[in-house]
Amino acid sequence: MTPLAESDFLRLAQAEMDHLEAAVEAAAEAADVDIDIHRNGNVMELEFADGSKIIVNSQAPMQELWVAARAGGFHFRRTGEAWVDTRDGSDFYAALSRYVSQQAGAVLALSGR
């Protein structure tokens, strides 16, 4: 796979982070779960009622989105129109739905685009 120009990666990553923020807000509201969302540059922090966190950030040099959750650390790379786990090929939103649900203590379904 040919790497993207850094500006293209940054644009795609920013759009994905914007979409993820809206998806988490919508899923949390639908499930009546409190998740605080904080963003600083390319880093998004999701904080749960029990004090646990999930950190999502973009890594321009690697052209990946990285996720740190209780379940572990995960790297997602753009493949076609989706972000997929570099280890098992799982979809970014399906994986994040599992991690967020685990830490929220309720089922939350995050929808991709």
Side-chain angles (χ1 to χ4, degrees), residues 53-108:
K53 296 179 182 180
I54 292 177
I55 309 296
V56 181
N57 67 317
S58 62
Q59 293 291 322
M62 301 300 294
Q63 295 201 344
E64 295 176 347
L65 297 179
W66 288 5
V67 177
R70 274 191 189 153
F74 306 91
H75 299 181
F76 295 84
R77 187 171 294 132
R78 183 90 172 172
T79 302
E81 294 298 313
W83 296 89
V84 297
D85 189 302
T86 59
R87 284 184 273 180
D88 68 11
S90 62
D91 174 76
F92 180 70
Y93 287 95
L96 271 176
S97 292
R98 288 191 307 273
Y99 313 145
V100 169
S101 295
Q102 177 189 27
Q103 289 183 232
V107 176
L108 282 86

Coordinates of all heavy atoms in Angstrom, one line a residue, residues 53-108:
K53 N -10.2 5.3 31.4 CA -10.1 6.1 30.2 C -9.7 5.2 29.0 O -9.1 4.2 29.1 CB -9.0 7.1 30.3 CG -9.3 8.1 31.4 CD -8.1 9.1 31.6 CE -8.4 10.1 32.7 NZ -7.4 11.1 32.9
I54 N -10.1 5.7 27.8 CA -9.7 5.2 26.5 C -9.1 6.4 25.8 O -9.7 7.5 25.8 CB -10.8 4.6 25.7 CG1 -11.4 3.4 26.3 CG2 -10.4 4.4 24.3 CD1 -12.5 2.7 25.6
I55 N -7.9 6.2 25.3 CA -7.2 7.3 24.6 C -7.1 6.9 23.1 O -6.7 5.8 22.8 CB -5.7 7.5 25.1 CG1 -5.7 7.7 26.7 CG2 -5.1 8.7 24.4 CD1 -6.4 8.9 27.2
V56 N -7.5 7.8 22.3 CA -7.4 7.6 20.8 C -6.5 8.7 20.3 O -6.8 9.9 20.6 CB -8.8 7.6 20.1 CG1 -8.6 7.4 18.6 CG2 -9.7 6.6 20.8
N57 N -5.5 8.4 19.5 CA -4.7 9.5 18.9 C -4.2 9.0 17.5 O -4.1 7.9 17.2 CB -3.6 9.9 19.8 CG -2.5 8.9 20.0 OD1 -2.8 7.7 20.2 ND2 -1.3 9.3 20.0
S58 N -3.9 10.1 16.7 CA -3.4 9.8 15.4 C -1.9 9.9 15.4 O -1.3 10.7 16.1 CB -4.0 10.8 14.4 OG -3.6 12.1 14.7
Q59 N -1.3 9.0 14.7 CA 0.2 8.9 14.6 C 0.6 9.1 13.1 O 0.6 8.2 12.4 CB 0.7 7.5 15.1 CG 0.5 7.3 16.6 CD 1.4 8.2 17.4 OE1 2.5 8.5 17.1 NE2 0.8 8.7 18.5
A60 N 0.9 10.4 12.8 CA 1.2 10.7 11.4 C 2.4 9.9 10.9 O 2.3 9.4 9.7 CB 1.4 12.2 11.2
P61 N 3.5 9.8 11.6 CA 4.6 9.1 11.1 C 4.3 7.6 10.7 O 4.8 7.1 9.7 CB 5.7 9.1 12.2 CG 5.3 10.2 13.0 CD 3.8 10.3 13.0
M62 N 3.4 7.0 11.4 CA 3.0 5.6 11.2 C 1.8 5.5 10.3 O 1.4 4.4 9.8 CB 2.8 4.8 12.5 CG 4.0 4.8 13.4 SD 5.4 4.0 12.7 CE 4.8 2.3 12.5
Q63 N 1.1 6.6 10.1 CA -0.2 6.7 9.4 C -1.2 5.8 10.0 O -1.9 5.0 9.3 CB 0.0 6.5 7.9 CG 0.8 7.6 7.3 CD 0.7 7.7 5.8 OE1 0.1 6.8 5.1 NE2 1.1 8.8 5.2
E64 N -1.3 5.9 11.3 CA -2.2 5.0 12.1 C -3.0 5.8 13.1 O -2.6 6.8 13.5 CB -1.5 3.9 12.8 CG -0.8 2.9 11.8 CD 0.1 1.9 12.6 OE1 0.3 2.0 13.8 OE2 0.5 0.9 11.9
L65 N -4.2 5.2 13.5 CA -4.9 5.7 14.7 C -4.5 4.7 15.8 O -4.6 3.4 15.6 CB -6.4 5.7 14.5 CG -6.9 6.6 13.4 CD1 -8.4 6.5 13.2 CD2 -6.5 8.1 13.7
W66 N -4.1 5.2 17.0 CA -3.8 4.3 18.1 C -4.8 4.4 19.2 O -5.3 5.5 19.5 CB -2.4 4.7 18.6 CG -1.3 4.3 17.7 CD1 -1.3 3.8 16.5 CD2 0.1 4.5 18.0 NE1 -0.1 3.6 16.0 CE2 0.8 4.0 16.9 CE3 0.8 5.0 19.1 CZ2 2.2 4.0 16.9 CZ3 2.2 5.0 19.1 CH2 2.9 4.5 18.0
V67 N -5.1 3.3 19.8 CA -6.1 3.2 20.8 C -5.5 2.5 22.0 O -4.9 1.5 21.9 CB -7.4 2.4 20.4 CG1 -8.4 2.3 21.6 CG2 -8.1 3.1 19.2
A68 N -5.6 3.2 23.2 CA -5.2 2.6 24.5 C -6.5 2.4 25.3 O -7.1 3.4 25.6 CB -4.2 3.4 25.2
A69 N -6.8 1.2 25.7 CA -8.0 0.9 26.5 C -7.6 -0.2 27.5 O -6.5 -0.7 27.5 CB -9.1 0.4 25.6
R70 N -8.5 -0.5 28.4 CA -8.3 -1.6 29.4 C -7.9 -2.9 28.7 O -7.2 -3.7 29.1 CB -9.5 -1.8 30.2 CG -9.6 -1.0 31.4 CD -10.8 -1.5 32.3 NE -11.0 -0.6 33.4 CZ -12.2 -0.5 34.0 NH1 -13.2 -1.2 33.6 NH2 -12.3 0.4 35.0
A71 N -8.6 -3.1 27.5 CA -8.3 -4.3 26.7 C -6.9 -4.4 26.1 O -6.5 -5.4 25.7 CB -9.4 -4.4 25.6
G72 N -6.2 -3.3 26.1 CA -4.9 -3.2 25.5 C -4.6 -2.1 24.6 O -5.4 -1.1 24.6
G73 N -3.5 -2.2 23.9 CA -3.2 -1.1 22.9 C -3.3 -1.7 21.5 O -3.0 -2.8 21.2
F74 N -3.9 -0.8 20.6 CA -4.3 -1.3 19.3 C -3.9 -0.2 18.3 O -4.0 1.0 18.6 CB -5.8 -1.5 19.2 CG -6.2 -2.5 20.3 CD1 -6.7 -2.0 21.5 CD2 -6.2 -3.9 20.1 CE1 -7.1 -2.9 22.5 CE2 -6.6 -4.7 21.1 CZ -7.1 -4.3 22.3
H75 N -3.5 -0.7 17.1 CA -3.1 0.2 16.0 C -4.1 0.0 14.8 O -4.3 -1.2 14.5 CB -1.7 0.0 15.5 CG -0.7 0.3 16.6 ND1 0.6 0.1 16.4 CD2 -0.8 0.7 17.9 CE1 1.3 0.4 17.5 NE2 0.4 0.8 18.4
F76 N -4.6 1.0 14.2 CA -5.5 0.9 13.1 C -4.9 1.7 11.9 O -4.5 2.8 12.1 CB -6.9 1.4 13.5 CG -7.6 0.6 14.5 CD1 -7.3 0.9 15.9 CD2 -8.5 -0.4 14.2 CE1 -7.9 0.1 16.9 CE2 -9.1 -1.1 15.2 CZ -8.8 -0.9 16.5
R77 N -4.9 1.0 10.8 CA -4.4 1.6 9.5 C -5.5 1.7 8.5 O -6.4 0.9 8.4 CB -3.3 0.8 9.0 CG -2.5 1.4 7.8 CD -1.3 0.6 7.5 NE -0.3 0.7 8.5 CZ 0.3 -0.4 9.0 NH1 0.1 -1.6 8.5 NH2 1.2 -0.2 10.0
R78 N -5.5 2.8 7.7 CA -6.5 3.0 6.7 C -6.3 2.0 5.6 O -5.2 1.9 5.0 CB -6.3 4.4 6.2 CG -7.3 4.8 5.1 CD -8.5 5.4 5.8 NE -9.4 6.0 4.8 CZ -10.6 6.4 5.0 NH1 -11.0 6.4 6.3 NH2 -11.3 6.9 4.1
T79 N -7.3 1.3 5.3 CA -7.3 0.3 4.2 C -8.6 0.5 3.4 O -9.7 0.3 3.9 CB -7.3 -1.2 4.7 OG1 -6.2 -1.3 5.6 CG2 -7.3 -2.2 3.6
G80 N -8.4 1.0 2.2 CA -9.6 1.4 1.4 C -10.3 2.6 2.1 O -9.7 3.6 2.3
E81 N -11.6 2.4 2.5 CA -12.4 3.4 3.1 C -12.5 3.2 4.6 O -13.2 3.9 5.3 CB -13.8 3.5 2.5 CG -13.7 3.9 1.0 CD -13.2 5.3 0.9 OE1 -13.6 6.2 1.6 OE2 -12.3 5.5 0.0
A82 N -11.8 2.2 5.2 CA -12.0 1.9 6.6 C -10.6 1.9 7.3 O -9.6 1.7 6.7 CB -12.6 0.5 6.7
W83 N -10.7 2.0 8.6 CA -9.5 1.8 9.5 C -9.6 0.4 10.1 O -10.7 0.1 10.7 CB -9.6 2.9 10.6 CG -9.4 4.3 10.1 CD1 -10.5 5.1 9.7 CD2 -8.2 5.0 9.9 NE1 -10.0 6.3 9.3 CE2 -8.6 6.3 9.4 CE3 -6.9 4.7 10.1 CZ2 -7.7 7.3 9.1 CZ3 -6.0 5.7 9.8 CH2 -6.3 7.0 9.3
V84 N -8.6 -0.3 9.9 CA -8.6 -1.7 10.4 C -7.4 -2.0 11.3 O -6.3 -1.4 11.2 CB -8.6 -2.7 9.2 CG1 -9.9 -2.6 8.4 CG2 -7.4 -2.6 8.4
D85 N -7.6 -2.9 12.3 CA -6.6 -3.3 13.2 C -5.5 -3.9 12.5 O -5.7 -4.8 11.7 CB -7.2 -4.2 14.3 CG -6.3 -4.5 15.4 OD1 -5.2 -5.0 15.2 OD2 -6.7 -4.3 16.6
T86 N -4.3 -3.5 12.8 CA -3.1 -4.1 12.1 C -2.8 -5.5 12.5 O -2.1 -6.2 11.8 CB -1.8 -3.2 12.3 OG1 -1.6 -3.2 13.8 CG2 -2.0 -1.8 11.8
R87 N -3.4 -6.0 13.6 CA -3.1 -7.3 14.0 C -4.2 -8.3 13.5 O -3.9 -9.4 13.0 CB -3.0 -7.4 15.5 CG -1.7 -6.9 16.1 CD -1.6 -7.1 17.6 NE -2.3 -5.9 18.2 CZ -2.4 -5.8 19.5 NH1 -2.0 -6.7 20.3 NH2 -2.9 -4.7 19.9
D88 N -5.5 -8.0 13.8 CA -6.5 -9.0 13.4 C -7.5 -8.5 12.3 O -8.4 -9.2 12.0 CB -7.3 -9.4 14.7 CG -8.1 -8.2 15.3 OD1 -8.3 -7.2 14.6 OD2 -8.6 -8.4 16.4
G89 N -7.3 -7.3 11.8 CA -8.1 -6.9 10.7 C -9.5 -6.4 11.1 O -10.3 -6.1 10.2
S90 N -9.8 -6.3 12.4 CA -11.1 -5.8 12.8 C -11.3 -4.3 12.5 O -10.4 -3.6 12.5 CB -11.3 -6.1 14.3 OG -10.4 -5.4 15.1
D91 N -12.6 -4.0 12.3 CA -13.0 -2.7 12.0 C -12.8 -1.7 13.2 O -13.1 -2.1 14.3 CB -14.4 -2.7 11.5 CG -15.0 -1.3 11.3 OD1 -14.6 -0.7 10.3 OD2 -15.7 -0.8 12.2
F92 N -12.4 -0.5 13.0 CA -12.2 0.5 14.0 C -13.4 0.7 14.9 O -13.3 0.6 16.1 CB -11.8 1.8 13.3 CG -11.5 2.9 14.3 CD1 -10.4 3.0 15.1 CD2 -12.3 4.0 14.3 CE1 -10.1 4.0 15.9 CE2 -12.1 5.1 15.1 CZ -10.9 5.1 15.9
Y93 N -14.6 0.9 14.3 CA -15.8 1.1 15.1 C -16.3 -0.1 15.8 O -16.8 0.0 16.9 CB -16.8 1.8 14.2 CG -16.5 3.2 13.9 CD1 -15.8 3.6 12.7 CD2 -16.7 4.2 14.8 CE1 -15.4 4.9 12.5 CE2 -16.3 5.5 14.5 CZ -15.7 5.8 13.4 OH -15.3 7.1 13.1
A94 N -16.2 -1.3 15.2 CA -16.6 -2.5 15.9 C -15.7 -2.7 17.1 O -16.2 -3.1 18.2 CB -16.5 -3.7 14.9
A95 N -14.4 -2.5 16.9 CA -13.5 -2.7 18.0 C -13.7 -1.7 19.1 O -13.8 -2.0 20.3 CB -12.0 -2.6 17.5
L96 N -13.9 -0.4 18.7 CA -14.1 0.6 19.8 C -15.4 0.4 20.5 O -15.5 0.7 21.7 CB -14.0 2.0 19.1 CG -12.7 2.6 19.1 CD1 -12.7 4.0 18.4 CD2 -12.1 2.8 20.5
S97 N -16.4 -0.1 19.8 CA -17.7 -0.4 20.4 C -17.5 -1.4 21.5 O -18.1 -1.3 22.6 CB -18.7 -1.0 19.4 OG -19.1 0.0 18.5
R98 N -16.6 -2.4 21.3 CA -16.3 -3.4 22.3 C -15.6 -2.8 23.5 O -16.0 -3.0 24.7 CB -15.5 -4.6 21.8 CG -16.2 -5.5 20.8 CD -15.4 -6.8 20.5 NE -14.1 -6.5 20.0 CZ -13.8 -6.3 18.7 NH1 -14.7 -6.3 17.8 NH2 -12.5 -6.1 18.4
Y99 N -14.6 -2.0 23.2 CA -13.8 -1.4 24.3 C -14.6 -0.4 25.1 O -14.6 -0.4 26.4 CB -12.6 -0.6 23.8 CG -11.8 -1.4 22.8 CD1 -11.1 -0.7 21.7 CD2 -11.6 -2.8 22.8 CE1 -10.4 -1.4 20.8 CE2 -10.9 -3.5 21.9 CZ -10.3 -2.8 20.9 OH -9.5 -3.5 19.9
V100 N -15.4 0.4 24.4 CA -16.2 1.4 25.1 C -17.3 0.7 26.0 O -17.6 1.1 27.1 CB -16.9 2.4 24.1 CG1 -17.9 3.3 24.7 CG2 -15.8 3.3 23.5
S101 N -17.9 -0.3 25.4 CA -19.0 -1.0 26.1 C -18.4 -1.7 27.4 O -19.0 -1.6 28.5 CB -19.6 -2.1 25.2 OG -20.3 -1.5 24.2
Q102 N -17.2 -2.3 27.3 CA -16.6 -2.9 28.4 C -16.3 -1.9 29.5 O -16.6 -2.1 30.7 CB -15.2 -3.5 28.0 CG -14.5 -4.1 29.1 CD -13.0 -4.5 28.7 OE1 -12.4 -4.0 27.8 NE2 -12.5 -5.5 29.4
Q103 N -15.8 -0.7 29.2 CA -15.5 0.3 30.2 C -16.7 1.0 30.7 O -16.7 1.5 31.8 CB -14.4 1.2 29.7 CG -13.1 0.4 29.7 CD -11.9 1.2 29.2 OE1 -11.1 0.8 28.3 NE2 -11.6 2.4 29.9
A104 N -17.7 1.1 29.9 CA -18.9 1.9 30.3 C -19.9 1.0 31.1 O -20.7 1.5 31.8 CB -19.7 2.4 29.1
G105 N -19.7 -0.3 31.0 CA -20.6 -1.3 31.7 C -22.0 -1.3 31.0 O -22.9 -1.7 31.7
A106 N -22.1 -1.0 29.8 CA -23.3 -1.0 29.0 C -23.0 -1.2 27.5 O -21.9 -0.8 27.1 CB -24.1 0.3 29.2
V107 N -23.9 -1.7 26.8 CA -23.7 -1.9 25.4 C -23.8 -0.6 24.6 O -24.9 0.0 24.7 CB -24.6 -3.0 24.8 CG1 -24.4 -3.1 23.3 CG2 -24.4 -4.3 25.5
L108 N -22.8 -0.2 24.0 CA -22.8 1.0 23.1 C -22.3 0.6 21.7 O -21.3 0.0 21.6 CB -21.9 2.1 23.6 CG -22.4 2.9 24.8 CD1 -22.1 2.2 26.1 CD2 -21.8 4.3 24.8

